[in-house]
């Protein structure tokens, strides 16, 4: 079993986070796409506020294009997908070329979606590629520490996003139960007290979503 460098561990963690961010934000965007077309009062400013990204958009139409596809926008889904690809390239020898290929396919189909007036088919393909990425990574990566760091990043990002978007305590509890073993098995230095605090926060009568985001962002 090879030794994982600090740089590799950081890239694995962020590869996990970025791929999950792409996956979850595409799903959220798809769910709101048709509603935003028909809504009388724009909802995208609230979306930006919850995700803690600047509202740089002129109007709803500008948001519906620039948030998913604008590579010059650092908060866009496209920019996140490219950051995932950059980390995957650095980790090619660690995760394997076959795993990397699914990130490349996701970028290809996301570019196709940007040119389509009805992009939901292409965006679903990207979701499928991300899921395939996770599946093939689990199948071909032999080093359990590599898999655990990657999955710890994935679970941390999912809880971060779910908390920001005020998902139900039930959903958060489920994801926290899945995150904690990955963090503990990652081999990375983490704060055990934070894990207990995160667990306790979702069992409070009212979840403090902002505190949950702060705690999950500082586990390592």
């Amino acid at each position: 079993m090879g030794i994982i460098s600090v740089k590799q561990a950081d890239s694995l963690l962020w590869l996990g986070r970025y791929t999950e961010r792409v996956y979850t934000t595409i799903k959220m965007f798809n769910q709101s796409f048709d509603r935003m077309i028909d809504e009388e009062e724009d909802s995208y400013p609230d979306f930006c506020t919850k995700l803690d990204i600047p509202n740089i958009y002129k109007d709803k139409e500008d948001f519906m294009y620039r948030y998913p596809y604008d590579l010059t926008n650092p908060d866009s889904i496209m920019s996140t997908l490219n950051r995932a690809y950059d980390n995957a390239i650095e980790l090619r020898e660690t995760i394997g070329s076959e795993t990397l290929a699914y990130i490349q396919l996701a970028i290809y189909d996301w570019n196709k979606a940007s040119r389509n007036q009805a992009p939901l088919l292409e965006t679903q393909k990207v979701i499928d590629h991300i899921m395939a990425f996770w599946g093939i990574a689990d199948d071909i990566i032999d080093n359990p520490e590599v898999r655990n760091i990657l999955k710890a990043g994935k679970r941390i990002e999912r809880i971060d996003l779910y908390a920001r978007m005020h998902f139900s305590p039930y959903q958060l509890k489920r994801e926290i139960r899945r995150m904690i073993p990955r963090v503990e098995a990652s081999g990375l230095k983490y704060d055990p007290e934070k894990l207990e605090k995160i667990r306790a926060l979702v069992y409070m009568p009212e979840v403090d979503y902002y505190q949950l985001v702060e705690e999950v962002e500082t586990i390592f």
Side-chain angles (χ1 to χ4, degrees):
M1 185 183 299
I3 296 173
I4 301 172
S5 70
V6 173
K7 188 174 187 302
Q8 284 177 314
D10 186 65
S11 293
L12 283 165
L13 188 69
W14 280 102
L15 176 58
R17 293 197 63 162
Y18 287 139
T19 49
E20 175 60 31
R21 192 177 303 176
V22 169
Y23 175 80
T24 295
T25 52
I26 288 177
K27 289 179 70 175
M28 290 191 296
F29 183 77
N30 280 356
Q31 289 165 4
S32 59
F33 183 81
D34 289 333
R35 187 188 70 243
M36 283 194 292
I37 290 174
D38 298 327
E39 67 187 6
E40 294 180 7
E41 185 175 343
D42 292 343
S43 61
Y44 74 87
D46 182 58
F47 183 89
C48 294
T49 299
K50 284 181 176 178
L51 287 186
D52 194 25
I53 61 176
N55 182 2
I56 61 172
Y57 310 102
K58 295 182 294 185
D59 51 34
K60 175 175 60 182
E61 287 71 26
D62 190 44
F63 170 81
M64 290 174 69
Y65 180 79
R66 292 186 63 202
Y67 174 70
Y69 307 119
D70 183 5
L71 194 52
T72 67
N73 174 7
D75 298 306
S76 72
I77 295 173
M78 178 63 88
S79 291
T80 303
L81 188 51
N82 273 269
R83 288 194 290 272
Y85 177 73
D86 290 343
N87 280 275
I89 284 288
E90 290 184 12
L91 294 163
R92 181 194 293 267
E93 299 301 318
T94 304
I95 65 173
S97 297
E98 196 174 352
T99 309
L100 170 64
Y102 283 102
I103 303 294
Q104 293 171 313
L105 286 169
I107 290 175
Y108 173 77
D109 280 318
W110 200 240
N111 276 314
K112 281 179 64 178
S114 71
R115 300 188 294 271
N116 196 326
Q117 293 294 325
L120 293 186
L121 177 60
E122 281 78 16
T123 59
Q124 182 58 51
K125 287 181 181 178
V126 176
I127 289 173
D128 293 344
H129 294 323
I130 296 295
M131 293 178 70
F133 163 82
W134 286 112
I136 198 69
D138 205 39
D139 187 58
I140 71 171
I141 296 174
D142 291 328
N143 188 329
E145 196 171 351
V146 168
R147 294 198 305 272
N148 283 318
I149 295 172
L150 196 59
K151 290 181 179 180
K154 172 184 179 178
R155 297 299 171 192
I156 286 170
E157 185 66 25
R158 183 170 294 186
I159 293 165
D160 183 289
L161 291 169
Y162 281 18
R164 290 179 189 276
M165 300 306 290
H166 293 190
F167 277 48
S168 73
Y170 170 80
Q171 290 168 297
L172 287 167
K173 288 172 189 175
R174 179 175 183 268
E175 296 304 329
I176 286 167
R177 286 195 300 268
R178 300 167 86 182
M179 177 198 72
I180 288 175
R182 295 299 179 185
V183 170
E184 291 174 334
S186 68
L188 302 179
K189 187 176 180 181
Y190 67 92
D191 186 343
E193 291 183 4
K194 284 196 178 290
L195 292 185
E196 289 305 314
K197 192 168 184 179
I198 288 165
R199 198 199 313 262
L201 279 168
V202 293
Y203 283 92
M204 300 291 286
E206 289 190 20
V207 177
D208 186 337
Y209 290 101
Y210 300 103
Q211 182 68 25
L212 182 55
V213 169
E214 183 177 332
E215 297 298 336
V216 83
E217 285 284 355
T218 53
I219 289 172
F220 293 119

